Amino acid sequence: MSPRVCFVADSDAWGGAEVYLTHLMGRAEANGWAASLVCAEPVAERFAAMVPSDRLTAVPLARHRPEAPAIRAAVAARHPDVVAVNLVDPPSNAAALAAGLAVAPTVGVLHLAGDTGSGERRSALAALYRRLAAVVSPSVEGRRQVTSELGVAAERVHVVPNGVAVPAVPSGPAGRLVPRVGALGRLTGQKGFDVLIQAVRSLVADGRPVEAVIGGAGRDEAALRAAAAGLPVTFCGFVTDVRVFLAGLDVFCLSSRHEALPLVLLEAMAEGLPCVATDVGDVAVAVGEDALVVPPGDVTALSAALTAVLSDPGRRAVLGTRARRRAVREMDAGLMAERTFAVLDRAQRTGSGDPP
C-alpha cells in the first residue's frame, strides 16, 4: 500500500502557493504516494476544479487563529502517514501546523519568509517548528530563517526550488508592434506594481512605445489604478488562465519587493518570454544570466532594464530562448515533486522532530 500524505492549504486567497499544491497532488501517484487535500473554504472552489472530490475536504479558514479543530478533524479522517502544511509565512498558519502534528508526522512548506516575532511569541513558534519532521522552502532565505530564528536543526530544513508545468510548445513573445510588458500577482505592496507603473511612466516620458498589462486582484487595486491614470496600463483582473495571459506578452516583468521563488516567473520563462525581475529571494540564482535582474524598488534600474529589452527585438528573442532552455532543464514541476516527495519519504521514516 502506498504511503498517504494529506496536504493542508489554510489560505484566504488563491496564488502561487496553492498552484504549488496542485502540482504535487497531480504527481503524487507517480512518486509512490496517495495524496489528499484539506483546504480552507476561500480557495475550495478553485481546488475543486483540479482535485478529485474524493480527495478534497473544505474547512473553515483558520489562518491567524489560535486553534484549528476543523483542520485537525479533517486531516485525521484521511488517516495520513504524513501531513504537509502550506505556510504563507512563518506564523500565520501555526494553528494548522499544530493540527497536523496532533495526527501524524508533519512537514511545513514555508513559501515566504516573514516576521517570526520576538520574546514569548517567537519562543512558542520555535517550539512548534522544532516538532516538525521537516521544513521545505523554495529559497535559501526561508531555510536560513527557520534554522537561525526558529532553531530547527539544519538537517531537517530542505531547499526545494519551485517548479512549473513546462509546456511542450512555448508561446514565446507575442511580436506586437507596440511591445507589451506584463505582470501578474496579488495587487498588494509586496508585488511592487507601483514601481512598475512608475517605470512605465518613465518609458513614456522618454518616448518609448510600450503597453503594460497587470493581472490580478487585491486590496491595492484602486490606488494602483489611480497611479496608472493616463498611462498605457491595463488592469485585466484575476487571471484564470495564466498561459493565455502570458501568450499576449512580449516581456514579462516581476517587480516584487519580497518573494522566495515565484511560480509565475518560472511559468513566463517556460513560455520562452524574455524576463525582467527584481533580485528577491532566490530569483537571481534561479535565472542566472537568462533574465535581467534589478534591485527591488529601484524605478531607474527597472526602467533601464525594460528599455534594454523593449528597444532590441533581437535581444528579446535571445533572452526568451535562453529562458525556455533553463526552464526545461531546471524548472519542471516533475523535478520539484520528486525532490519534495523524497523529503516526505524521510519524514515518514524518521517521524517528528523534538518532542512536544
Side-chain angles (χ1 to χ4, degrees), residues 94-116:
L97 280 182
L101 283 164
V103 176
T106 297
V107 174
V109 182
L110 180 61
H111 289 277
L112 197 62
D115 183 15
T116 56

Side-chain angles (χ1 to χ4, degrees), residues 112-139:
L112 197 62
D115 183 15
T116 56
S118 59
E120 292 184 4
R121 180 185 171 208
R122 178 180 287 186
S123 296
L125 189 64
L128 184 65
Y129 268 70
R130 286 197 297 268
R131 292 172 58 199
L132 297 175
V135 178
V136 172
S137 174
S139 73

Side-chain angles (χ1 to χ4, degrees), residues 19-116:
V19 174
Y20 163 90
L21 286 184
T22 67
H23 289 316
L24 295 183
M25 289 290 296
R27 292 164 176 80
E29 185 176 353
N31 285 275
W33 284 76
S36 59
L37 173 65
V38 172
C39 69
E41 290 166 347
V43 293
E45 184 176 354
R46 291 297 304 275
F47 275 121
M50 306 177 194
V51 177
S53 59
D54 63 336
R55 292 194 283 154
L56 179 66
T57 305
V59 296
L61 180 70
R63 189 179 177 195
H64 297 302
R65 295 182 182 178
E67 296 181 339
I71 290 178
R72 177 175 176 174
V75 169
R78 295 289 178 174
H79 305 289
D81 298 293
V82 176
V83 180
V85 180
N86 245 15
L87 301 167
V88 178
D89 53 45
S92 61
N93 305 107
L97 280 182
L101 283 164
V103 176
T106 297
V107 174
V109 182
L110 180 61
H111 289 277
L112 197 62
D115 183 15
T116 56

Side-chain angles (χ1 to χ4, degrees), residues 122-309:
R122 178 180 287 186
S123 296
L125 189 64
L128 184 65
Y129 268 70
R130 286 197 297 268
R131 292 172 58 199
L132 297 175
V135 178
V136 172
S137 174
S139 73
V140 172
E141 179 187 13
R143 183 179 191 274
R144 179 206 58 76
Q145 183 168 57
V146 170
T147 56
S148 65
E149 296 182 20
L150 299 179
V152 180
E155 64 269 18
R156 294 212 305 271
V157 187
H158 309 268
V159 175
V160 178
N162 279 334
V164 296
V166 177
V169 180
S171 63
R176 293 176 177 272
L177 184 61
V178 176
R180 176 175 289 178
V181 176
L184 179 62
R186 293 190 181 102
L187 303 186
T188 64
Q190 175 206 338
K191 300 298 182 179
F193 294 136
D194 56 317
V195 181
L196 174 58
I197 290 169
Q198 293 179 64
V200 171
R201 186 178 299 281
S202 176
L203 295 173
V204 170
D206 290 342
R208 178 69 53 195
V210 63
E211 295 177 357
V213 59
I214 298 174
R219 61 177 178 268
D220 292 348
E221 181 172 353
L224 291 170
R225 284 182 177 273
L231 296 175
V233 177
T234 300
F235 292 84
C236 64
F238 187 85
V239 172
T240 57
D241 193 324
V242 175
R243 288 207 70 194
V244 170
F245 176 83
L246 295 174
L249 307 182
D250 295 284
V251 177
F252 179 79
C253 180
L254 179 85
S255 54
S256 298
R257 292 181 169 90
H258 185 40
E259 295 280 3
L261 183 56
L263 291 180
V264 66
L265 173 63
L266 311 188
E267 290 170 328
M269 295 181 71
E271 293 288 0
L273 284 173
C275 297
V276 176
T278 47
D279 187 3
V280 289
D282 279 16
V283 164
V285 173
V287 305
E289 297 182 353
D290 298 330
L292 300 186
V293 179
V294 300
D298 190 330
V299 175
T300 300
L302 184 59
S303 300
L306 289 172
T307 296
V309 292

